[in-house]
Each structure stands twice: as structure tokens, then as C-alpha cells.
Amino acid sequence: MTDTRTAPYAALILRLALGILFLAHAGLKIFVFTPAGTAGFFGSIGLPGWLAYVTIAWELVGALALILGLWPRIAALALIPILVGAIVTVHGPAGFFFTNPNGGWEYLALWIVGLLAVALIGDGALALRPTSAAAARR
């Protein structure tokens, strides 16, 4: 049975954790690999370089939406394609375990499950722009 008093705070904690992780992930691309370096990596695996810039922006916007609670259920679902893309293009061929050379897809799968949980459980406490009931049903 769900504890309706604490469930919104559990959703908030999950939302914040996922948002902070996406900020860190985008920060890695910006401050460590650099956007140009990330674009070069994308090109090396057969993706257009410009997609790196779109991915970085998508991660930043999604992270902020989760942290601030701006339509969090929609933001959570919108971030899943980035992770699926990373599994298909980079981490999937490395196998399941993230400790494998080139990192497997285990961590990304867990991240997807967390995003799905946010989409299903709801916006959580302190959401600045909660997802409307109509949008959540779509």
C-alpha cells in the first residue's frame, strides 16, 4: 500500500537525484570532453556531430525541468530517448555490466527505470509546474 503522506517526497527525491545526474552527465560533456570533443566522438561512432550539441542541450533542459519540477512526468519521459540512444550506439555492444570495457548498459537501464518511475508516480512535492492530469494520461 502506498503511503500518500510520504510518496510525494519519495518522488521529489527521485526527481532531484535524476536531475542532478543529468546535470553531471551534461557537465562531463561540457567541461571535460568539451562540446567540440563530444561532437567529434559522436562523429567517430557514425552520428552527426551536431547531434552532440542537441544532446547536451536536451540533457540540461531535462535536468532543470526535473530539479525545478517543470512538468516532471513529461520531462522524465523526454529524457529516455537519450539513454536508449546511448545504449544502442555506445554501451549496448559493451555488454550488460557497466564495469565492462567501454561501459555496459546496466547503469543506463537503471536510469531509464528511475525515469519511468517518476513518470508513473507523479510530479512529487514542490513541483513548480506540475504535469496536468490530461498530459499525464497521454
Side-chain angles (χ1 to χ4, degrees):
M1 177 165 236
T2 302
D3 184 337
T4 56
R5 291 181 346 244
T6 59
Y9 297 101
L12 170 65
I13 290 168
L14 183 57
R15 200 181 81 215
L16 290 174
L18 292 167
I20 291 167
L21 286 171
F22 266 105
L23 272 184
H25 204 250
L28 181 69
K29 289 178 180 76
I30 295 168
F31 300 112
V32 177
F33 301 136
T34 75
T38 303
F41 173 73
F42 275 45
S44 76
I45 60 171
L47 297 172
W50 59 264
L51 189 58
Y53 298 96
V54 172
T55 301
I56 292 168
W58 197 336
E59 289 177 351
L60 287 173
V61 170
L64 292 174
L66 287 174
I67 291 167
L68 297 174
L70 303 172
W71 306 285
R73 296 173 94 171
I74 295 169
L77 291 174
L79 287 166
I80 292 173
I82 291 175
L83 299 170
V84 171
I87 289 171
V88 170
T89 59
V90 178
H91 297 284
F96 177 71
F97 294 105
F98 203 70
T99 55
N100 290 349
N102 298 321
W105 55 275
E106 141 188 53
Y107 176 64
L108 301 175
L110 179 61
W111 212 345
I112 289 169
V113 169
L115 290 168
L116 287 172
V118 168
L120 291 171
I121 198 169
D123 301 313
L126 306 176
L128 294 179
R129 294 271 189 251
T131 309
S132 71
R137 280 193 290 265
R138 287 184 201 150

